[in-house]
Amino acid sequence: MQRVGVFDQGVMEPATGRDLTTGRADFIERAQTRGELFIEQPYGLYSEANQQTWRRLYRALAGKWEQHAHPRFLDGVTRLALDPDRIPRLADINRFLEPLSGFRARAVSGYVPAYLFFDCLRRREFPTTITVRDGDRLDYLPEPDIFHDLAGHVPMHTDPAFAAVLVRFGEAARTAALRAQDGDCRRVESALKALARFFWFTIEFGLMRRPDGDGLCAYGSGLLSSAGEIGHALESPRVQRVPFQLDWVVNQSFEIDSLQPLLFVVSGFDHLEREVLRLERWLGDGRLDNVAPGEPAVCREDLQSFLQAGVDG
Ligand SMILES: [Fe+2]
């Protein structure tokens, strides 16, 4: 997924392991070795190269946000007082965020098993990556980083209607987990695919009608944190943009390592909330026990997290 031409050319220092570069941070490796998922943000470890990466990403995205982001996302950027020049401290973000929607960003050391992730949303916590992507590959993102999580996701969390959708999503995952009490792995795998596909085509890559009715805008974090993806999503004639259809979404495979060729459009936050409620009903009544095979693959850890949640009740 090589995308060029949207970033200025920074002079980058090589990552040493002592900073917080994704995939190469000693601090993160040590936390993972100790089995610590929820961690502190060791702010002093961000190197000048990490800060420079944040600045370059912010500069590449800010103009595109003005052009393509949902107005409530732009409000969120202002309300969180996101700094274009410095990586935010989670504590500062939360001081602004919690009074607005009850949500807070919580630092994690890496991958959060699916059920645990969704259950955090139910409790208005957002698992947040604290490392910064490699400055040499700014628009390639095989895994989340702090720019994707804090600049891509969290501004939308300032909006109570959007926050309510995330909580409902966590409730839907809980409904699926309670149905997993009989230990039927195939059925749980199907429910997990449905949840992951819904999340992908809404929270990560969702498009919405503009509130003034004039065209489309982006509310999905995968679009809002990628300079290459956001313009492609809203301008390219190669992208198919279709009205949201739940039965299509839950059966639609997706790829994470190429520009998205198919995106779904909701009419507003109330529409999105109705669809997530419908998702929960469908999960509860068995309608999603046999969704189409294909991506995403369900890993053992994710499956186990749902089965265990079902046992725990
Ligand atoms: Fe994300």
Coordinates of all heavy atoms in Angstrom, one line a residue, residues 126 144 148-149 153 199 204 221-222, ligand 1:
F126 N -11.9 3.7 25.6 CA -11.4 3.4 24.3 C -10.0 2.9 24.4 O -9.1 3.8 24.7 CB -11.6 4.6 23.4 CG -11.1 4.4 22.0 CD1 -11.8 3.5 21.2 CD2 -10.0 5.0 21.4 CE1 -11.4 3.2 19.9 CE2 -9.6 4.7 20.1 CZ -10.3 3.8 19.4
P144 N -2.9 -0.3 14.4 CA -3.2 1.1 14.8 C -2.0 1.8 15.5 O -1.1 1.1 16.0 CB -4.3 0.9 15.9 CG -4.8 -0.5 15.7 CD -3.7 -1.3 15.1
H148 N -3.8 7.2 14.5 CA -5.0 6.6 14.1 C -6.0 6.7 15.2 O -7.2 7.0 15.0 CB -4.8 5.1 13.7 CG -6.1 4.4 13.4 ND1 -6.8 4.5 12.2 CD2 -6.8 3.6 14.2 CE1 -7.9 3.7 12.3 NE2 -7.9 3.2 13.5
D149 N -5.6 6.3 16.4 CA -6.5 6.2 17.5 C -7.0 7.5 18.1 O -8.1 7.8 18.3 CB -5.9 5.3 18.7 CG -6.0 3.8 18.4 OD1 -6.7 3.5 17.4 OD2 -5.4 3.0 19.1
H153 N -10.0 8.4 15.7 CA -11.2 7.9 16.4 C -11.7 9.0 17.4 O -12.9 9.2 17.4 CB -10.9 6.7 17.2 CG -10.9 5.4 16.4 ND1 -12.0 4.8 16.1 CD2 -9.9 4.6 15.9 CE1 -11.8 3.6 15.5 NE2 -10.5 3.5 15.3
F199 N -18.3 -3.1 12.2 CA -17.3 -2.1 12.7 C -16.5 -1.5 11.6 O -16.3 -0.3 11.6 CB -16.5 -2.8 13.8 CG -15.8 -1.8 14.7 CD1 -16.4 -1.3 15.8 CD2 -14.5 -1.4 14.5 CE1 -15.8 -0.4 16.7 CE2 -13.8 -0.5 15.3 CZ -14.5 0.0 16.4
E204 N -14.8 2.4 11.3 CA -13.5 2.6 10.7 C -13.6 3.3 9.3 O -12.8 4.1 9.0 CB -12.8 1.2 10.5 CG -12.4 0.5 11.8 CD -11.2 1.2 12.5 OE1 -10.6 2.1 11.9 OE2 -11.0 0.8 13.7
S221 N -12.7 6.4 11.2 CA -11.3 6.7 11.6 C -10.3 6.3 10.6 O -9.2 6.9 10.5 CB -11.1 6.1 13.0 OG -11.2 4.7 12.8
G222 N -10.5 5.2 9.9 CA -9.6 4.7 8.9 C -9.4 5.7 7.8 O -8.4 5.8 7.2
Ligands
FE1 FE -9.4 2.0 14.3

